[in-house]
Amino acid sequence: MKVLANDGISKAGELALKEAGIEILNNRVAQDHVINFINDNSIDVLLVRSATKVKQDLIDACPGLKIIGRGGIGMDNIDVDYAKSKGIHVINTPTASSKSVAELVFAHFFSLARFLHESNRLMPLEGETHFDAMKKSFSNAYELSGKTLGVIGFGSIGQEVVKMGIALGMKVKVLTRKPKTKVLSLSFFDGQTVNFEITSTNDVDTFYKDTDFISINTPKTNEYIIDTREFEKMKDGVYIVNTARGGVINEVTLLDFIESGKVAGAALDVFENEPSPELILLMNPSLSLSPHIGGNTVDAQEKIGVELAEQIIKLQKETI
């Protein structure tokens, strides 16, 4: 079996594949040349992240493909149903990067609540001449402990965000299309584990009322989850972080509600217009920004590579 990891794979994942006798190619092939490369090199398995698109035309043009793997959760860059209809196995790693994404959510929350996103921009420019003025302007900060955290989505990432919020002493709310109950376990360094039973709500009014910090952790959607109607239901001074997908929050409307003071600050790791976010977003001092790096930690990439390798090896033994 021959694997093309077109968007890369961790050393641990590569090693696991090689130890199983599977050949792996780490070539980074441009989208326009992927089809020819797959066919010319008799590739059986195509592994991608978000850069490479695996749509119907590629699937039709590469009849030798047996497995398509996505290193991550969302698979909107793959025509999953069509691939399966052609007898191709489609795999992903739905939990490997959950902790990394959740930690980024709170990195942004802390940054917003303590004005770190803005002070990091200004200190190199004005720290020597306006130190006291900046100290005063950044003093209206907040603790997260005791505040209410609202999480939209209750998948693996949403669950990790909830757990981290609980660990910080926050009250938690979860919004889902249908109410569901999950038992979440918090494990600590000394072997102790504490379980929390969390029930989500589908009542939008209840969810947004009195919520201080909102994290969006949903799959890609065809329409906005947060737009004017939702913003109007929020309390004044709310903080919002989107690490889900571009297009789940209306970025233009977000800026309007930041301007009005309804939203105290927001963070975007994903954008409607990736990889070229609008300049008006990039220049807004009330936004904490990152370039779609939710799952980009060494830890997450190691887990992703190993999980993909394990699934490929298992499929090879069972069906291929």
Side-chain angles (χ1 to χ4, degrees):
M1 177 178 285
K2 191 179 290 188
V3 176
L4 170 62
N6 204 47
D7 296 338
I9 188 172
S10 69
K11 288 296 183 182
E14 183 176 349
L15 180 60
L17 290 170
K18 288 180 177 178
E19 288 181 345
I22 296 172
E23 183 180 353
I24 179 165
L25 304 178
N26 266 319
N27 301 64
R28 303 297 179 97
V29 184
Q31 184 73 51
D32 292 344
H33 301 291
V34 172
I35 291 174
N36 287 340
F37 188 92
I38 289 172
N39 292 330
D40 291 345
N41 292 276
S42 301
I43 299 297
D44 303 290
V45 182
L46 173 62
L47 300 182
V48 302
R49 292 198 64 205
S50 56
T52 305
K53 307 295 186 289
V54 190
K55 299 299 184 178
Q56 182 175 337
D57 60 334
L58 186 150
I59 294 167
D60 284 337
C62 301
L65 276 181
K66 299 178 178 67
I67 302 173
I68 298 169
R70 164 72 161 92
I73 298 176
M75 295 199 288
D76 41 282
N77 58 320
I78 301 172
D79 280 341
V80 176
D81 291 338
Y82 187 76
K84 289 181 177 179
S85 75
K86 293 293 185 178
I88 299 173
H89 296 276
V90 182
I91 60 176
N92 68 336
T93 57
T95 62
S97 60
S98 298
K99 282 183 173 20
S100 291
V101 178
E103 287 187 4
L104 182 66
V105 170
F106 281 95
H108 277 302
F109 277 147
F110 282 121
S111 182
L112 290 167
R114 298 304 301 267
F115 302 105
L116 296 180
H117 63 297
E118 192 171 0
S119 63
N120 280 331
R121 292 170 179 168
L122 294 179
M123 280 295 288
L125 301 174
E126 302 180 21
E128 186 178 8
T129 56
H130 295 83
F131 190 93
D132 289 337
M134 282 193 288
K135 180 178 179 179
K136 183 177 181 180
S137 67
F138 297 146
S139 63
N140 191 29
Y142 291 97
E143 297 178 355
L144 272 67
S145 177
K147 302 302 189 300
T148 298
L149 168 68
V151 180
I152 304 176
F154 210 14
S156 59
I157 296 174
Q159 291 175 44
E160 289 298 331
V161 172
V162 168
K163 288 161 66 174
M164 290 182 190
I166 292 171
L168 286 168
M170 303 183 80
K171 306 167 189 174
V172 296
K173 298 179 181 179
V174 180
L175 180 67
T176 52
R177 291 180 179 177
K178 296 180 180 179
K180 58 182 69 174
T181 299
K182 294 183 181 292
V183 176
L184 306 183
S185 296
L186 274 68
S187 300
F188 298 93
F189 70 98
D190 58 357
Q192 294 188 67
T193 300
V194 181
N195 294 332
F196 292 85
E197 184 175 279
I198 306 295
T199 300
S200 68
T201 180
N202 62 353
D203 186 331
V204 176
D205 293 332
T206 300
F207 175 79
Y208 286 114
K209 182 181 180 182
D210 299 327
T211 300
D212 302 292
F213 294 85
I214 296 172
S215 176
I216 310 172
N217 302 108
T218 65
K220 183 177 178 63
T221 57
N222 293 323
E223 57 188 22
Y224 296 124
I225 292 175
I226 295 182
D227 206 342
T228 300
R229 176 175 172 270
E230 288 72 32
F231 282 116
E232 290 174 344
K233 295 178 183 295
M234 298 177 189
K235 68 178 294 185
D236 292 345
V238 68
Y239 293 96
I240 304 170
V241 172
N242 180 22
T243 57
R245 283 288 188 270
V248 300
I249 185 170
N250 187 326
E251 294 171 351
V252 174
T253 307
L254 170 63
L255 294 180
D256 290 340
F257 280 91
I258 288 175
E259 182 68 24
S260 73
K262 167 69 75 171
V263 177
L268 301 174
D269 182 54
V270 289
F271 302 85
E272 291 189 66
N273 191 27
E274 285 190 30
S276 302
E278 301 297 336
L279 185 60
I280 194 171
L281 296 172
L282 302 180
M283 299 301 292
N284 192 298
S286 295
L287 292 178
S288 179
L289 304 171
S290 53
H292 202 154
I293 57 171
N296 287 5
T297 63
V298 171
D299 311 83
Q301 295 312 306
E302 287 292 295
K303 294 174 189 174
I304 286 171
V306 171
E307 284 191 22
L308 285 173
E310 289 174 345
Q311 292 181 71
I312 292 167
I313 294 166
K314 182 179 179 181
L315 284 170
Q316 183 189 39
K317 291 178 179 178
E318 291 179 352
T319 63
I320 297 175

